[in-house]
C-alpha cells in the first residue's frame, strides 16, 4: 500500500504539472505585465462581503480563480485556469464568494520588499499559487454562486451575520475589530497601529485562526457538554462535528484543519 502511494504520488504531480503548463493563464500572456479581460470566480472564503463592509480596509483585495481570458473586448474567450489576486478600487462593491465576474484591468507582478528582511509579498503569494495581482479598472457581474459554491456562500453569509452579532453592543470600534478578528478570522478591520502593537508584543498570531483557537474552542465545548450531562459517547461524537463546523466557518486554514483532524482522531 505504501509502495503504491510512493509510485502514484510523483505520477499525479507530473500529470498536474503537464496540465498546468497547457492551460494556466500565465502561458497565454504575451508578456509578464499586460492588460487583459478576465472572467473570474471569487474563491476567497476569508473575504467578507457587503454585510461587513465596515470592517474592510482600503486595499479591498480578494482571491479569484481565472476561468477565461482575452486581450481585446471583441476577442473570443480563451478558457484557462489559475489563481490571481484582484485589487479593487476603494469604492468598489465587494464581490460575493462563488460569484462570477468579468474584470478589465492589468496583470502586474507584486512589488518586492522595500528593504532586506521586510515582508516578501511575492513569495507569500507564490506559496498560495499566485504569481500576479490584477489591478481592476472596471468590473461587471456575470452570475451568482451556484451548486457547491452557493452552499458555501450561504454558510459564509451566516458567518458574517454571527460576526455582526459578536460586534453588537461593543462601543469601541477597535474592540469590535479585535474581537471579530480573534473569534472568526476577519482581520480586515485591524488598522496599522493596532497590528504594530501586537507585532511588537509577539502576540499577532492570535489573529490567525490556528490550532490554538481550535483547541480552546474544543475545550470550551467539552466543558459545556459535560456541564449539560451529555452522555459520554454522544459527547465525543459531537465534538469532531462541532469543531469541524467552526473550522469551516473561519476559512479552513491549514493549521486549523490539522488541529481538527488531531481532535477528531483523539475523540
Amino acid at each position: 500500500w505504501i509502495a503504491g502511494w510512493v509510485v502514484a504520488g510523483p505520477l499525479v504531480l507530473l500529470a498536474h504539472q503537464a496540465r498546468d503548463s497547457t492551460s494556466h493563464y500565465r502561458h497565454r500572456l504575451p508578456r509578464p505585465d499586460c492588460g487583459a479581460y478576465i472572467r473570474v470566480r471569487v474563491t476567497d472564503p476569508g473575504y467578507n462581503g457587503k454585510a461587513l463592509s465596515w470592517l474592510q480596509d482600503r486595499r479591498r483585495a480578494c482571491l479569484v480563480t481565472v476561468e477565461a481570458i482575452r486581450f481585446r473586448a471583441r476577442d473570443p474567450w480563451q478558457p484557462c485556469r489559475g489563481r490571481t489576486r484582484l485589487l479593487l478600487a476603494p469604492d468598489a462593491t465587494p464581490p460575493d464568494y462563488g460569484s462570477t465576474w468579468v474584470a478589465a484591468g492589468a496583470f502586474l507582478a507584486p512589488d518586492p520588499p522595500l528593504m532586506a528582511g521586510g515582508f516578501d509579498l511575492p513569495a507569500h503569494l507564490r506559496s498560495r499559487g499566485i504569481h500576479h495581482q490584477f489591478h481592476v479598472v472596471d468590473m461587471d457581474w456575470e452570475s451568482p454562486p451556484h451548486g457547491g459554491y452557493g452552499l458555501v456562500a450561504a454558510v459564509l453569509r451566516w458567518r458574517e451575520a454571527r460576526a455582526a452579532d459578536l460586534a453588537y453592543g461593543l462601543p469601541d470600534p477597535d474592540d469590535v475589530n479585535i474581537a471579530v478578528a480573534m473569534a472568526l478570522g476577519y482581520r480586515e478591520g485591524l488598522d496599522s497601529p493596532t497590528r504594530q502593537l501586537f507585532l511588537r508584543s509577539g502576540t499577532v498570531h492570535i489573529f490567525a485562526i490556528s490550532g490554538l483557537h481550535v483547541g480552546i474552542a474544543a475545550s470550551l465545548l467539552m466543558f459545556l457538554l459535560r456541564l449539560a450531562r451529555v452522555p459520554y459517547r454522544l459527547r465525543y461524537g459531537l465534538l469532531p462535528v462541532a469543531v469541524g463546523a467552526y473550522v469551516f466557518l473561519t476559512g479552513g486554514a491549514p493549521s486549523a484543519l490539522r488541529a481538527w483532524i488531531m481532535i477528531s482522531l483523539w475523540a
Side-chain angles (χ1 to χ4, degrees):
W1 182 81
I2 295 175
W5 276 110
V6 169
V7 174
L11 292 178
V12 171
L13 179 61
L14 290 174
H16 177 74
Q17 289 179 337
R19 178 171 177 264
D20 181 76
S21 65
T22 56
S23 61
H24 200 285
Y25 75 84
R26 288 190 296 137
H27 301 288
R28 301 184 183 274
L29 300 182
R31 53 188 178 275
D33 295 345
C34 66
Y37 298 84
I38 55 175
R39 180 186 291 129
V40 299
R41 185 183 297 276
V42 181
T43 54
D44 187 354
Y47 182 77
N48 48 290
K50 303 178 185 67
L52 292 176
S53 59
W54 48 276
L55 276 179
Q56 296 175 35
D57 59 20
R58 297 181 62 84
R59 288 176 299 172
R60 294 186 180 251
C62 66
L63 304 183
V64 297
T65 298
V66 181
E67 297 182 344
I69 188 172
R70 62 187 180 188
F71 300 100
R72 291 183 295 185
R74 295 183 179 180
D75 290 346
W77 286 107
Q78 303 177 42
C80 60
R81 55 190 297 273
R83 303 180 75 200
T84 188
R85 185 172 183 251
L86 291 189
L87 297 181
L88 308 177
D91 57 346
T93 300
D96 294 323
Y97 175 87
S99 57
T100 303
W101 295 74
V102 173
F107 283 107
L108 296 175
D111 296 328
L114 296 176
M115 60 185 69
F119 176 66
D120 193 340
L121 179 60
H124 171 70
L125 293 178
R126 283 196 301 271
S127 70
R128 307 181 72 178
I130 300 169
H131 298 269
H132 291 88
Q133 297 189 103
F134 191 84
H135 290 250
V136 176
V137 175
D138 189 26
M139 193 167 176
D140 295 320
W141 178 86
E142 188 167 89
S143 64
H146 58 272
Y149 289 104
L151 175 62
V152 176
V155 174
L156 293 177
R157 285 194 295 271
W158 185 85
R159 174 194 181 199
E160 291 180 0
R162 301 291 73 77
D165 292 341
L166 179 65
Y168 180 77
L170 293 176
D172 189 343
D174 289 338
D175 291 343
V176 170
N177 294 333
I178 290 174
V180 173
M182 289 178 61
L184 292 172
Y186 284 126
R187 290 173 284 179
E188 292 87 344
L190 297 174
D191 55 20
S192 181
T194 302
R195 291 174 186 263
Q196 289 300 319
L197 284 173
F198 282 89
L199 278 170
R200 287 199 297 269
S201 66
T203 55
V204 72
H205 63 277
I206 66 174
F207 296 132
I209 303 301
S210 61
L212 174 64
H213 292 74
V214 175
I216 292 173
S219 299
L220 289 173
L221 178 61
M222 285 297 287
F223 174 76
L224 293 175
L225 291 175
R226 287 183 177 181
L227 202 63
R229 297 183 181 276
V230 175
Y232 178 88
R233 290 183 181 274
L234 181 59
R235 186 164 72 234
Y236 281 89
L238 288 174
L239 182 65
V241 177
V243 174
Y246 173 70
V247 170
F248 181 74
L249 283 176
T250 58
S255 55
L257 286 172
R258 286 195 298 268
W260 171 55
I261 292 171
M262 292 173 65
I263 289 171
S264 300
L265 292 174
W266 171 74

